[in-house]
Amino acid sequence: MIHFNIPPHTGKELLYIKQAVDNKKICGDGEFTKLCSQWMESRFHAQKILLTTSGTSALEMAAILCGLKEGDEVILPSYTFSSTATSIVLTGASCVFVDIRPDTMNIDESKIEAAITAKTKAIVAVHYAGISCEMDTIMDIAQRRHLKVIEDAAQGIMSTYKGRSLGTIGDFGCFSFHETKNYSMGEGGALVINHPEYNEKAEILREKGTNRAKFFRGQVDKYTWVDYGSSYLPSDLNAAYLYAQLESADKINTDRLTTWNIYHENFQSLQKSNVLSVPFIPKDCEHNAHMYYVKLKNLSERTKFISYLKERGIQSAFHYIPLHASPAGRKFGRFFGADDCTSSESEKLTRLPLYYGISDKDRNYVISCVLNFFQ
Ligand SMILES: *Cc1c(COP(=O)(O)O)cnc(C)c1O
């Protein structure tokens, strides 16, 4: 069986977890949490990064810090994971779904402006497959129309747009370290804060509404409940696992890119003969090989393709059912404009096995099965 995903493990994870235990500090904001934040801040040139319990909780923090409230509207793609939307719904705001581009599966930046109303407060840019949205256009709209931008970079850590790390371009960026992502801590995530005026509010929100972070820095002599908050900080045990992966970030990235490129070299010719389409990387984007997908002609072709691979011991996976068509999507949002691509393109897409350490043999077997399907 060739798995669709195997969670990354590079070697030092258990050693670091043992060190956290030996440090007698396994709750949040221990040594490994600090090491992870510092590593990311310096690598991505980020003003501040806080480790969170999930990508979802990073999105929730971003929505709250944007000051979203009942009656507000937020523009986002419908082709995304539920938590992009639940974080908005949590604040009482509603979702306005905009169509995607068929080439990158990202929000169609040319359709955003028409969806803006007097109630619009923010845009969520989801960097699908670790390939950046057209951020210059999105930031320009946001600036002119006074909107906040949240980057859902759950899949986009280590990717760049015009040389800038994804997550550091909007007001807030959100990473995920779920086991299906490029770097993992089981469950976890991080919030990138790109304006220092939000730092203190974010720390309070993350630490149950207290100013404990300030207390630990010696800036106040006792800590107390100062504002709304929740518990968004992960255990240092999980951070220890993650730190081992961040230390090997380039090794993991290179390994994934190798697989991505080999798939791409083999499948590009099929696109020329019009039987499938392959991912498109815009020229300003460097990606992290989060995912390799192919798009079949239609839903029935995709169904046949997935079962053909399954019969040969290969797990492949389709992806999101568009949110606007789901029961909660209908309740909490609306689709603006025509659904030219969201529904039709999502029905064609299948993701192939891609994980750190996939063997040459397994990769070649996947390639030959895919090629045989089209013979
Ligand atoms: C994985 C993912 C999330 C959620 O991250 P969790 O860490 O699982 O909470 C949100 N948005 C997108 C686009 C994702 O891929």
Side-chain angles (χ1 to χ4, degrees):
M1 165 78 93
I2 300 181
H3 294 271
F4 169 67
N5 178 57
I6 294 177
H9 182 264
T10 55
K12 286 199 171 156
E13 286 84 350
L14 294 178
L15 176 73
Y16 287 169
I17 289 173
K18 184 175 182 304
Q19 274 178 29
V21 173
D22 292 345
N23 288 345
K24 312 220 171 346
K25 177 84 182 166
I26 60 172
C27 70
D29 282 335
E31 187 195 339
F32 285 103
T33 304
K34 286 196 191 83
L35 287 170
C36 289
S37 304
Q38 283 164 3
W39 188 95
M40 290 189 282
E41 284 166 4
S42 103
R43 177 71 186 236
F44 306 135
H45 306 289
Q47 187 269 141
K48 186 148 192 82
I49 298 189
L50 297 175
L51 225 53
T52 61
T53 44
S54 63
T56 305
S57 46
L59 286 161
E60 291 183 4
M61 287 183 72
I64 294 166
L65 292 166
C66 281
L68 299 178
K69 57 180 189 320
E70 199 167 340
D72 292 345
E73 291 180 352
V74 177
I75 292 172
L76 71 160
S78 169
Y79 185 70
T80 184
F81 189 57
S82 60
S83 32
T84 317
T86 53
S87 61
I88 295 164
V89 170
L90 171 81
T91 66
S94 66
C95 301
V96 176
F97 300 111
V98 165
D99 208 11
I100 53 168
R101 294 164 45 148
D103 58 353
T104 58
M105 303 299 280
N106 284 332
I107 192 165
D108 186 337
E109 67 280 358
S110 73
K111 293 183 175 167
I112 292 174
E113 197 138 21
I116 297 174
T117 70
K119 295 176 177 174
T120 309
K121 291 289 150 55
I123 302 167
V124 187
V126 181
H127 304 300
Y128 187 69
I131 297 158
S132 181
C133 296
E134 184 28 57
M135 289 309 288
D136 276 357
T137 308
I138 292 172
M139 294 311 288
D140 175 63
I141 295 169
Q143 230 146 40
R144 283 190 288 105
R145 309 296 295 260
H146 307 289
L147 307 176
K148 297 272 189 273
V149 174
I150 298 170
E151 293 179 73
D152 182 341
Q155 303 173 14
I157 186 167
M158 295 282 280
S159 296
T160 60
Y161 171 81
K162 298 192 175 174
R164 296 170 69 189
S165 294
L166 298 193
T168 67
I169 303 166
D171 294 280
F172 298 100
C174 304
F175 296 143
S176 168
F177 302 117
H178 184 258
E179 72 164 30
T180 53
K181 303 304 200 290
N182 292 22
Y183 311 93
S184 186
M185 54 196 276
E187 299 278 355
L191 176 71
V192 186
I193 305 165
N194 295 320
H195 307 294
E197 63 265 32
Y198 290 104
N199 290 357
E200 193 177 334
K201 204 160 183 222
E203 284 176 350
I204 292 166
L205 174 59
R206 180 168 169 270
E207 263 279 22
K208 300 98 179 169
T210 71
N211 57 355
R212 190 147 108 180
K214 246 182 155 173
F215 171 72
F216 282 136
R217 284 195 298 267
Q219 292 165 320
V220 287
D221 57 12
K222 58 181 187 303
Y223 79 88
T224 184
W225 182 27
V226 291
D227 203 346
Y228 170 76
S230 187
S231 182
Y232 289 127
L233 71 170
S235 154
D236 218 46
L237 295 173
N238 297 61
Y241 191 99
L242 179 65
Y243 190 60
Q245 311 229 324
L246 294 179
E247 279 188 327
S248 305
D250 289 301
K251 191 170 146 200
I252 293 175
N253 201 38
T254 307
D255 182 82
R256 295 186 72 105
L257 279 163
T258 302
T259 299
W260 197 100
N261 289 327
I262 292 173
Y263 279 156
H264 206 56
E265 280 159 26
N266 280 278
F267 302 143
Q268 252 171 338
S269 60
L270 294 171
Q271 174 161 281
K272 285 186 198 109
S273 46
N274 264 328
V275 292
L276 57 63
S277 55
V278 292
F280 168 71
I281 313 292
K283 77 171 187 347
D284 296 320
C285 302
E286 272 186 36
H287 72 102
N288 60 0
H290 174 63
M291 175 194 305
Y292 197 87
Y293 66 76
V294 294
K295 284 195 279 180
L296 285 289
K297 271 192 189 138
N298 52 42
L299 180 60
S300 76
E301 275 286 294
R302 181 181 74 177
T303 308
K304 277 186 228 155
F305 181 70
I306 292 175
S307 51
Y308 181 90
L309 294 181
K310 193 175 167 206
E311 282 159 19
R312 283 151 189 81
I314 298 169
Q315 282 183 340
S316 65
F318 56 84
H319 215 179
Y320 310 126
I321 313 287
L323 297 182
H324 73 280
S326 69
R330 282 200 290 263
K331 188 167 158 196
F332 297 118
R334 63 185 169 85
F335 198 94
F336 175 82
D339 172 9
D340 290 331
C341 298
T342 301
S343 298
S344 57
E345 293 301 310
S346 65
E347 288 184 346
K348 301 175 186 173
L349 186 142
T350 310
R351 299 170 289 159
L352 297 177
L354 199 172
Y355 51 84
Y356 170 69
I358 191 171
S359 69
D360 240 353
K361 180 168 149 279
D362 286 356
R363 198 162 49 206
N364 289 336
Y365 179 65
V366 172
I367 292 167
S368 70
C369 289
V370 171
L371 295 176
N372 283 337
F373 176 81
F374 291 105
Q375 223 109 81

